[in-house]
Amino acid sequence: DQQVKQNSPSLSVQEGRISILNCDYTNSMFDYFLWYKKYPAEGPTFLISISSIKDKNEDGRFTVFLNKSAKHLSLHIVPSQPGDSAVYFCAASAQTGANNLFFGTGTRLTVIP
Amino acid sequence: DSGVTQTPKHLITATGQRVTLRCSPRSGDLSVYWYQQSLDQGLQFLIQYYNGEERAKGNILERFSAQQFPDLHSELNLSSLELGDSALYFCASSVVGATDTQYFGPGTRLTVL
């Protein structure tokens, strides 16, 4: 049972434009959400996180939005750069209970120069 | 470089065999996590150790086991290997629990023939 879903396996965006990556979750106990970026032959790298007490967190070109009522979060990258081309994984955890992350299946972002 | 090291990088073995994957966490991190990524799948949490003790268990098969040693490095043992065990195995570490950022190693690619 996939508790974190990324329904778009791939996304292509022109350099300089906005990239929007989406993620849905089903478990209402999740209260901490993260985005990881993964290049080929490397492990995932932490990008940005958000706690359920917030609805937005910004770090430079990266902003994560959380809509708890819809159980949906999104990652906005603006402006997109060719170096952003990678697979992006959404992950979630519950601060109570098991301390593990539930990952989505990833979205491959290609930024076209 | 995340500071998490994993060996070996690649492992090719036959069905029915047993292998050991090794992980050294970042300096100062007490928690180690193991994840499995099969083809086109998200990362699936297997197990977490904290300061030598098992803390959380995910979808880990009975044929798989792990331990964390006093120097905090961890080993994942996979036995009676099947073709379906072919996957990327990632180790991650964090200071304490899941709300601390998890830093991932580069992974071990296991191929079972």
Side-chain angles (χ1 to χ4, degrees):
Chain A
D1 178 29
Q2 194 72 25
Q3 299 188 53
V4 178
K5 297 176 187 180
Q6 294 177 258
N7 292 319
S8 297
S10 64
L11 174 68
S12 289
V13 170
Q14 286 289 133
E15 181 179 2
R17 299 289 188 103
I18 184 171
S19 296
I20 300 176
L21 296 95
N22 293 304
C23 177
D24 298 294
Y25 61 95
T26 57
N27 190 337
S28 56
M29 297 299 292
F30 289 150
D31 53 11
Y32 188 64
F33 305 89
L34 308 90
W35 285 93
Y36 280 83
K37 175 178 175 179
K38 186 180 179 307
Y39 292 117
E42 294 183 13
T45 303
F46 170 74
L47 196 55
I48 192 168
S49 63
I50 187 166
S51 164
S52 60
I53 61 172
K54 292 181 157 185
D55 54 18
K56 177 182 171 181
N57 190 24
E58 206 168 338
D59 184 2
R61 297 185 296 114
F62 302 90
T63 304
V64 56
F65 295 91
L66 175 63
N67 182 335
K68 290 186 288 294
S69 60
K71 294 194 180 70
H72 176 84
L73 64 155
S74 61
L75 174 69
H76 292 211
I77 307 173
V78 58
S80 301
Q81 298 174 353
D84 296 329
S85 297
V87 177
Y88 289 78
F89 289 97
C90 168
S93 73
Q95 294 193 31
T96 55
N99 294 329
N100 52 283
L101 292 176
F102 292 84
F103 280 85
T105 50
T107 297
R108 181 178 300 278
L109 173 67
T110 303
V111 179
I112 303 163
Chain B
D1 183 1
S2 66
V4 178
T5 59
Q6 287 187 249
T7 56
K9 202 163 185 147
H10 301 278
L11 200 47
I12 301 174
T13 188
T15 54
Q17 295 298 303
R18 172 191 167 94
V19 297
T20 297
L21 312 184
R22 183 188 166 104
C23 169
S24 292
R26 288 188 327 151
S27 176
D29 284 358
L30 298 177
S31 274
V32 170
Y33 310 78
W34 286 97
Y35 292 87
Q36 179 194 55
Q37 185 184 20
S38 301
L39 192 64
D40 294 333
Q41 298 290 313
L43 284 79
Q44 299 290 326
F45 170 71
L46 295 178
I47 197 163
Q48 178 201 359
Y49 276 81
Y50 170 72
N51 205 20
E53 307 230 340
E54 182 184 303
R55 174 163 272 195
K57 217 166 187 174
N59 298 326
I60 187 166
L61 300 172
E62 283 191 17
R63 301 184 284 110
F64 296 1
S65 65
Q67 52 184 337
Q68 186 179 27
F69 295 86
D71 67 353
L72 300 176
H73 92 269
S74 177
E75 291 181 356
L76 178 68
N77 300 296
L78 314 176
S79 61
S80 303
L81 284 167
E82 301 174 0
L83 295 177
D85 297 327
S86 296
L88 267 169
Y89 291 85
F90 289 103
C91 166
S93 72
S94 71
V95 177
V96 178
T99 56
D100 299 310
T101 301
Q102 291 187 27
Y103 293 89
F104 282 78
T108 292
R109 181 173 291 282
L110 173 65
T111 302
V112 182
L113 301 174

